[in-house]
Amino acid sequence: NAGVTQTPKFQVLKTGQSMTLQCAQDMNHEYMSWYRQDPGMGLRLIHYSVGAGITDQGEVPNGYNVSRSTTEDFPLRLLSAAPSQTSVYFCASSPRLESLSNEQFFGPGTRLTVL
Amino acid sequence: AQKITQTQPGMFVQEKEAVTLDCTYDTSDQSYGLFWYKQPSSGEMIFLIYQGSYDEQNATEGRYSLNFQKARKSANLVISASQLGDSAMYFCAMSSSTGANNLFFGTGTRLTVIP
């Protein structure tokens, strides 16, 4: 049971390049999400999904796309990277949407630098 | 909208002493959950403790307890008998009945345990 995995761990992009951050979980969780962590700002929600085929925007969705074709995978796409997207990105998952007590399980994070 | 406020950017505590990390929240929802996560220097997010808005008892998990004062909208984390390994960033977060499993995070408090 690997939990939540993210690849890559580190990435450097040039402005305007595109890339996909990968996230996978093997716990059969319905809910998955992407957060970004910037210094002094805590974690902010980018996009989330409540099940395969269903996605929605969070607090800071601009510049990012997501899709959820399977329960296990929830990739985050940067279509045209900008320096403002330099951040640490965390993917998280949790089970059973109807419970407020659902602990979210976080991946190890991806540190992205956009030059 | 939900808002989490952590007013202590940094805290110091002597080893073996207790420390309280402050968290206040704002929400118009009647049903919500409050979480504390620990982020050590290695970067991963570790779930510590959960308190539901309708829970009458304060949550406890080993050396961690949550001092929940609903009328004051505060959810302070108390760490007893601090250890050197407790040095980390601590984040307070909230989920609500209207927000799927989405978490709203505070800006965090950096705790340093002094030997």
Side-chain angles (χ1 to χ4, degrees):
Chain A
N1 191 332
V4 180
T5 58
Q6 292 183 238
T7 56
K9 284 189 163 56
F10 303 93
Q11 184 70 48
V12 178
L13 291 178
K14 293 182 179 177
T15 297
Q17 286 185 316
S18 63
M19 81 158 296
T20 300
L21 306 186
Q22 300 292 345
C23 175
Q25 53 91 8
D26 60 1
M27 298 173 282
N28 202 32
H29 286 170
E30 296 177 59
Y31 174 93
M32 295 185 74
S33 58
W34 278 100
Y35 294 86
R36 60 178 287 174
Q37 182 179 20
D38 301 300
M41 298 193 74
L43 279 75
R44 292 181 294 168
L45 182 67
I46 304 171
H47 284 285
Y48 67 98
S49 169
V50 300
I54 306 168
T55 63
D56 208 343
Q57 296 180 351
E59 183 184 356
V60 288
N62 292 340
Y64 307 96
N65 280 350
V66 292
S67 60
R68 184 100 179 264
S69 56
T70 67
T71 300
E72 295 78 18
D73 300 300
F74 191 44
L76 178 72
R77 297 183 187 84
L78 285 71
L79 298 178
S80 179
S84 60
Q85 294 178 304
T86 294
S87 189
V88 179
Y89 291 85
F90 286 98
C91 179
S93 73
S94 68
R96 293 192 347 265
L97 296 173
E98 62 269 19
S99 174
L100 281 172
S101 66
N102 284 339
E103 170 195 345
Q104 290 204 25
F105 296 82
F106 283 83
T110 294
R111 185 174 293 274
L112 176 68
T113 301
V114 182
L115 303 175
Chain B
Q2 288 76 29
K3 185 176 180 182
I4 294 281
T5 302
Q6 294 181 256
T7 57
Q8 307 154 314
M11 290 282 287
F12 292 88
V13 64
Q14 205 76 35
E15 193 178 6
K16 298 180 185 173
E17 297 292 312
V19 64
T20 297
L21 306 184
D22 294 341
C23 173
T24 58
Y25 61 91
D26 190 23
T27 181
S28 56
D29 292 331
Q30 296 300 310
S31 181
Y32 51 87
L34 296 154
F35 298 77
W36 279 91
Y37 280 83
K38 171 184 178 181
Q39 186 178 44
S41 58
S42 51
E44 71 267 32
M45 296 290 288
I46 302 168
F47 166 76
L48 295 178
I49 195 166
Y50 166 81
Q51 178 86 40
S53 58
Y54 290 112
D55 294 340
E56 294 184 354
Q57 303 263 10
N58 284 343
T60 60
E61 290 286 349
R63 294 187 298 110
Y64 304 107
S65 60
L66 200 152
N67 184 358
F68 181 48
Q69 298 187 41
K70 195 171 181 176
R72 298 181 61 187
K73 292 190 174 179
S74 74
N76 299 339
L77 177 70
V78 180
I79 305 175
S80 63
S82 296
Q83 301 171 357
L84 295 178
D86 294 334
S87 292
M89 281 290 288
Y90 289 80
F91 290 97
C92 181
M94 145 181 248
S95 63
S96 78
S97 56
T98 58
N101 278 15
N102 298 341
L103 288 178
F104 296 88
F105 284 84
T107 52
T109 296
R110 181 170 299 282
L111 176 68
T112 303
V113 181
I114 304 167

